[in-house]
Amino acid sequence: MSLSKVVDAIRRHKRFLISAHIDPEGDAVGSQLAMASLLKRLGKKAVMIDEDPPPTSCMFLPGIRSITLYKDLKDKRAGKFDCAIIVDCPTLERIGKVKGLIGGDTPVINIDHHVSNDMFGDVNWVDRKAAATGEMIFELSKKLRLRLTRDEAETIYSAILIDTGSFRYSNTSAKTHMIAAELIGEGLDMNAIYEHLFELRSFQATYLLGLVLSGIKKSRDGKIVWVWLTKRMLKESGASFDEAENFIGMPRSVKGCKAALFFRETDKKGVYKVSFRGSKEIDVNKIASKFGGGGHARASGCTIKAANPKQAEKTVLKEVAKAV
Ligand SMILES: [Mn+2]
């Protein structure tokens, strides 16, 4: 039903803005690229604009350099597009400054799979069972009767790979595998994609991982395990923040860990970002929501303000301790 409405809205409009959440990862970026490509094949104009750059690990994706950063836009007026498509984003606020480009009467299409999605669109297609927004773009291509090109298949496959941790997380379904099989059938080099997304890491990022792990901590019962990424560590290693995107997998895989946390300092003093990963007994979306964040039941994030890192840690751990 919602999917048909998305198709109707796409057919009715001509100039599209496509955006995704700040600090985008593979699902956000891959879904955007596939979406833009499909629209162009329908004879539409599509411009991808994000506040933050794509992660380094995704720079191999076809078309990635056609994503424009908000800060590089010469014309920042609203209303240049007759429709906005927001992918992989739980709230409109999460697209950051790009929101300012959407005119008051511009219809917004919301395509997402986050449990915390607040149905911000004029057309909302939210499938909380989808492992990745990429799966939904795949379904959309079917509905549009467009056979995916190899490049589109690669971007969608990468989106799915990131959000399922390469088919390891519990959100992976039989449907996920069936979609993957069809995508692979378009001639993808699965091994190369896997290496780009999960294995290849710069020397600097590997050094950074060492610094981050040297500060690993756990609660007395071992059910909560967390790490910190500080600006000092970034400086010492020479790595960029986005290269640390998979680091949370380290505390997460500690035996007995029910909730893994990844804290990081931001450029703003007193502002900290926290990523959460939970086991199946713990809903980390609920924990992140208490701090104005959100995401999925097993993976979520939030931003908090605190006087110092110790205080930020204490505030968050208190809420996590209640849940475990
Ligand atoms: Mn996603």
Side-chain angles (χ1 to χ4, degrees):
M1 186 63 184
S2 318
L3 173 54
S4 317
K5 285 187 182 158
V6 169
V7 171
D8 289 347
I10 286 174
R11 298 222 187 271
R12 273 201 310 273
H13 296 91
K14 273 201 175 73
R15 287 167 292 124
F16 292 83
L17 163 70
I18 306 172
S19 191
H21 58 78
I22 50 174
D23 293 331
E25 30 61 84
D27 189 25
V29 169
S31 297
Q32 260 183 300
L33 291 171
M35 188 74 232
S37 179
L38 290 171
L39 289 173
K40 284 177 188 166
R41 287 169 63 200
L42 291 170
K44 316 279 183 183
K45 282 209 160 61
V47 181
M48 293 171 279
I49 304 172
D50 287 339
E51 178 165 333
D52 295 318
T56 312
S57 62
C58 288
M59 293 312 290
F60 74 99
L61 288 174
I64 191 90
R65 281 168 217 282
S66 52
I67 296 179
T68 305
L69 294 187
Y70 180 82
K71 68 174 172 61
D72 297 333
L73 282 180
K74 286 187 189 79
D75 181 1
K76 293 189 168 68
R77 274 174 311 156
K80 284 175 294 176
F81 308 96
D82 63 6
C83 186
I85 301 184
I86 313 299
V87 295
D88 198 40
C89 203
T91 67
L92 197 54
E93 280 60 46
R94 286 280 291 161
I95 65 172
K97 291 177 187 147
V98 180
K99 193 181 160 189
L101 300 173
I102 304 171
D105 49 6
T106 307
V108 174
I109 304 178
N110 166 17
I111 303 178
D112 185 37
H113 69 132
H114 288 86
V115 279
S116 58
N117 192 291
D118 70 1
M119 311 299 264
F120 59 82
D122 297 291
V123 176
N124 296 289
W125 178 32
V126 177
D127 179 358
R128 294 176 172 89
K129 288 207 175 75
T133 302
E135 277 190 10
M136 302 173 70
I137 307 297
F138 175 88
E139 281 182 58
L140 174 64
S141 73
K142 293 274 175 205
K143 193 82 178 171
L144 291 168
R145 294 173 204 272
L146 288 173
R147 177 172 170 178
L148 293 173
T149 63
R150 193 189 168 284
D151 283 357
E152 287 160 1
E154 181 160 321
T155 55
I156 292 177
Y157 182 78
S158 300
I160 294 173
L161 219 59
I162 283 292
D163 268 21
T164 60
S166 195
F167 311 111
R168 287 175 298 138
Y169 303 155
S170 56
N171 57 356
T172 309
S173 65
K175 188 174 166 189
T176 311
H177 284 290
M178 283 191 283
I179 293 173
E182 204 171 321
L183 295 171
I184 292 162
E186 297 299 331
L188 303 186
D189 184 345
M190 289 188 288
N191 198 253
I193 296 172
Y194 178 81
E195 276 189 356
H196 278 294
L197 294 178
F198 293 101
E199 265 185 6
L200 298 175
R201 186 180 278 148
S202 68
F203 179 83
Q204 289 90 332
T206 310
Y207 186 93
L208 178 64
L209 177 61
L211 295 176
V212 167
L213 284 181
S214 68
I216 193 166
K217 291 196 187 89
K218 67 173 181 69
S219 57
R220 210 168 293 162
D221 59 10
K223 287 181 180 169
I224 312 170
V225 185
W226 68 96
V227 290
W228 268 93
L229 171 59
T230 64
K231 283 198 276 186
R232 187 189 54 76
M233 291 174 189
L234 279 179
K235 209 173 159 200
E236 186 182 332
S237 64
S240 62
F241 168 73
D242 72 83
E243 291 182 280
E245 65 174 340
N246 295 326
F247 287 8
I248 194 165
M250 302 305 282
R252 181 181 172 271
S253 55
V254 170
K255 266 188 186 171
C257 173
K258 302 283 178 208
L261 284 75
F262 180 36
F263 291 91
R264 70 141 159 145
E265 286 182 326
T266 68
D267 290 333
K268 287 188 199 126
K269 205 172 157 36
V271 179
Y272 305 90
K273 289 199 171 175
V274 195
S275 302
F276 303 86
R277 295 291 181 276
S279 62
K280 61 173 177 288
E281 309 93 72
I282 289 151
D283 185 343
V284 289
N285 174 53
K286 275 190 192 149
I287 301 173
S289 312
K290 286 186 180 161
F291 300 104
H296 309 284
R298 308 276 172 81
S300 66
C302 69
T303 301
I304 78 157
K305 286 185 179 144
N308 53 55
K310 265 266 144 296
Q311 203 55 50
E313 188 180 293
K314 208 176 146 190
T315 310
V316 174
L317 286 175
K318 205 174 139 192
E319 285 304 323
V320 179
K322 278 189 217 164
V324 299

